[in-house]
Amino acid sequence: MSLRSALRAQTADCHAGVDALFGNFSLSDIRTYKTFLRAHARVVPSVEAALEQAGIEQLLPDWPERRRAHLLLADMAELQEPPPPLLAKPDLRGEAALWGAVYVLEGSKLGGAMLAKAVPDNLPSSYLSPHGSKGSMRAFMERLDTSGIDDMAAAVAAARGVFDLFLKAAQLELEAV
């Protein structure tokens, strides 16, 4: 089984949970859109920082083009929404954990592209809008598939940990509304 297949199969429940919880956010309403962005802003900068500290650029040399925290924070600034407190950075040790964590962030881009369609034109949506070089997702999946990672359990654990951060962030923001 490829790493991508293992990650997809063994995090399907997490993915479904995140999708269900974030489905409570109406992105066409500015108030709930801000809440959605705040939830993401609790997680994305922390995970990106953890990936960088653990050496993600060794695995993905185009990492700087893949980052999105700056786009998220720019959208929030345009909406005059201050960034919320960050959730704790995940502890990413070893290549398997890096692949698992970045799998979640890269996968969220696909979901973001779908969600961007629900954001009205008068609201900023650079975080959700597709960006990067053409074929970057395909390139990521190829690198994931050829990573040679033997420790699938560590990759799955890291991915599940990042999904859990998104769940916690969404719950915190929904409780605050």
Side-chain angles (χ1 to χ4, degrees), residues 57-141:
E57 284 190 64
Q58 299 295 321
L59 303 179
L60 291 173
D62 64 344
W63 171 252
E65 293 84 47
R66 293 178 178 279
R67 298 180 80 240
R68 292 186 305 152
H70 66 287
L71 299 171
L72 172 59
L73 296 175
D75 284 350
M76 292 179 68
E78 192 171 329
L79 293 168
Q80 299 179 347
E81 186 66 34
L86 297 173
L87 294 181
K89 285 188 277 191
D91 184 17
L92 303 175
R93 296 177 193 215
E95 285 186 23
L98 288 171
W99 283 116
V102 78
Y103 167 83
V104 178
L105 289 188
E106 287 296 306
S108 75
K109 289 180 183 179
L110 294 175
M114 300 296 286
L115 293 173
K117 297 172 186 173
V119 179
D121 291 339
N122 65 321
L123 297 179
S125 62
S126 59
Y127 169 67
L128 294 176
S129 299
H131 71 285
S133 62
K134 185 174 180 170
S136 65
M137 183 55 76
R138 185 178 326 114
F140 170 74
M141 291 302 177

Side-chain angles (χ1 to χ4, degrees), residues 13-25 167 170 174:
D13 61 325
C14 296
H15 194 184
V18 166
D19 283 351
L21 195 53
F22 276 96
N24 291 313
F25 294 92
L167 284 170
L174 286 170

Side-chain angles (χ1 to χ4, degrees), residues 37-50 53 67 69-70 72-73 76 82-90 165 168-169 172-173:
L37 292 176
R38 274 195 314 272
H40 280 250
R42 287 179 175 272
V43 177
V44 173
S46 290
V47 175
E48 286 185 357
Q53 288 173 351
R67 298 180 80 240
H70 66 287
L72 172 59
L73 296 175
M76 292 179 68
L86 297 173
L87 294 181
K89 285 188 277 191
L165 288 172
K168 182 177 180 180
L172 286 169
E173 290 301 330

